[in-house]
Amino acid sequence: MVIGKTDEKALETLIQKYLIRIKGFSAFELKLIPDIKNTKNMSENQQKEQEGKRLLNEILPGDKLVLLDEKGQEFSSEKFADFLQKQMNAGLKNLVFVIGGPYGFSEAVYKRSDYKIALSQMTFSHQMVRLIFMEQLYRGLAILNHHPYHHI
């Protein structure tokens, strides 16, 4: 789940490429939460709160919510694949990964989350994180399926 559409066409093309690849391994949906309008008169916290309400409205009670957050746990690609496998073995209905808006997540979203994952100690734009995460999700699924995409 992502806040707002991807503005850069080159990023969107690559995201769609990985989306097709991911669907070859697993049921997957990339859900877009519309951008908040008229944010010029909002503080960062107000914007996070509005985005948070929209996000939480999409989360079902049994969903496991994973935030992509710079304060989250870092994984190697292999350990991320292990994380995915554990979640799949738990028989979850939905494992929901969320990429927040430019200012991150509201407190309510943090409280509802089950996990926080960091892609790096570096900071990336929320637009770029979409592509990086899609590639890592594909890589994790490729590892689990012994696909040659991931070369160890």
Side-chain angles (χ1 to χ4, degrees):
M1 197 176 310
V2 299
I3 300 285
K5 64 182 181 182
T6 304
D7 298 328
E8 180 64 45
K9 292 214 182 289
L11 286 177
E12 182 60 28
T13 298
L14 290 168
I15 289 167
Q16 291 304 315
K17 174 183 164 184
Y18 282 106
L19 179 60
I20 291 166
R21 289 179 175 190
I22 289 166
K23 287 181 176 182
F25 289 128
S26 181
F28 183 80
E29 177 186 4
L30 182 59
K31 192 168 208 170
L32 178 79
I33 304 298
D35 279 319
I36 303 294
K37 304 291 183 211
N38 302 319
T39 58
K40 290 182 182 182
N41 296 325
M42 289 184 176
S43 69
E44 290 177 12
N45 275 343
Q46 288 172 321
Q47 189 171 337
K48 287 193 296 188
E49 292 300 320
Q50 291 297 314
E51 290 170 350
K53 287 176 187 174
R54 289 184 180 187
L55 284 170
L56 294 173
N57 283 337
E58 299 294 326
I59 305 299
L60 301 174
D63 291 349
K64 286 287 183 186
L65 185 60
V66 183
L67 304 182
L68 274 76
D69 185 87
E70 62 189 9
K71 300 175 200 94
Q73 180 180 357
E74 290 184 50
F75 292 107
S76 67
S77 294
E78 292 86 0
K79 293 292 184 190
F80 181 60
D82 291 343
F83 171 81
L84 292 173
Q85 186 67 64
K86 286 177 188 169
Q87 300 310 309
M88 289 186 277
N89 289 348
L92 298 174
K93 184 171 181 184
N94 291 309
L95 182 60
V96 181
F97 292 95
V98 181
I99 299 170
Y103 303 117
F105 299 105
S106 68
E107 271 308 306
V109 172
Y110 278 119
K111 286 180 183 172
R112 171 58 181 86
S113 70
D114 297 288
Y115 303 101
K116 290 184 287 194
I117 293 177
L119 293 175
S120 172
Q121 291 181 10
M122 295 179 171
T123 302
F124 302 107
S125 74
H126 69 288
Q127 298 274 318
M128 187 65 83
V129 165
R130 298 167 189 209
L131 174 59
I132 295 167
F133 175 71
M134 294 292 282
E135 192 279 336
Q136 284 300 298
L137 180 59
Y138 176 69
R139 183 177 297 276
L141 293 169
I143 291 167
L144 294 177
N145 287 278
H146 309 288
H147 188 277
Y149 180 78
H150 180 74
H151 303 284
I152 299 174

